[in-house]
Structure formats: C-alpha cells, structure tokens
Amino acid sequence: MGLFAVGELSFVSHSLPLVLAGIACAGAGIAWLIVGYITAIQMRTPLRLQGRVLSASDTLVNTPQTISIALGALLTTLIDYRILVVLMAVVTAMAGAFLLSRRAIAPRESAEVPAPA
C-alpha cells in the first residue's frame, strides 16, 4: 500500500518522467496487494470452499470499486483532480498504516490437505 500511495502522489506532477516512475511504483505496489489478497484467501479457506470464497470476495471488492469509479468521475467535474489524487494517497497510506499496526494472523491448517507420506 505504501508503494501504491507514493506512486499515486506522482500523478499530480507535470513531469512525464516523474509520472512514469510513479506508475511503475504504483504498479509494483498493486501487484503486492493482489498477491497478498489471493494468498490470504488460499491460506485461510478450506480447499472445497476456495472457489466460492474467491467469487464472493471479488464481488465485495469489485462492486465498491465500480461505484468509486462513477463517484470519482463525478468528483473530477467538481474538484481539481490533484486534490483528489492527494486525498486518495493519504487514505491509502492511512489504510496501510492501520494494517501495519495489526498483529499477523497465522493461517489455519486445512484438514483437507493430506499430510506428506
């Protein structure tokens, strides 16, 4: 999340090299988020439920994301985009800081995974 927030901040610049570096930084950050998201589902869900849990979690993530795209399009007609980008970076950094303050949860062992012979 930190990489994504830092990358986002570059989007307010008029410097093309800085914006391109920010895109690379944000892309690296979002890749880590997606890998962590899918890994958490795989490690904390029994094998027989993984497809259902992934589908449900996709719905829970994609529906607000779709709404936020529409809301963002509306807000850019009312507020300067640079203010919105800084606000998004601050909210993303705050979410990352919150997650860093949490204890790591050890994954449960699935009863469906056979033990090595």
Side-chain angles (χ1 to χ4, degrees):
M1 282 187 162
L3 283 173
F4 187 73
V6 168
E8 266 185 321
L9 283 177
S10 74
F11 300 163
V12 299
S13 172
H14 292 287
S15 167
L16 181 60
L18 180 61
V19 170
L20 291 176
I23 289 171
C25 185
I30 200 76
W32 279 97
L33 288 172
I34 292 170
V35 168
Y37 167 68
I38 299 300
T39 302
I41 289 172
Q42 290 175 341
M43 293 182 72
R44 291 179 172 84
T45 306
L47 290 175
R48 64 184 175 80
L49 296 176
Q50 283 186 5
R52 292 177 186 161
V53 170
L54 184 59
S55 294
S57 66
D58 276 347
T59 301
L60 290 173
V61 168
N62 291 336
T63 301
Q65 181 183 16
T66 302
I67 293 167
S68 74
I69 291 169
L71 182 62
L74 174 67
L75 286 174
T76 55
T77 63
L78 304 172
I79 302 171
D80 184 26
Y81 78 94
R82 291 177 290 252
I83 294 170
L84 295 174
V85 168
V86 170
L87 182 62
M88 289 186 317
V90 167
V91 169
T92 302
M94 287 173 52
F98 172 77
L99 290 176
L100 284 175
S101 72
R102 306 283 105 199
R103 247 180 359 129
I105 300 171
R108 294 182 305 165
E109 292 294 324
S110 175
E112 297 173 291
V113 177

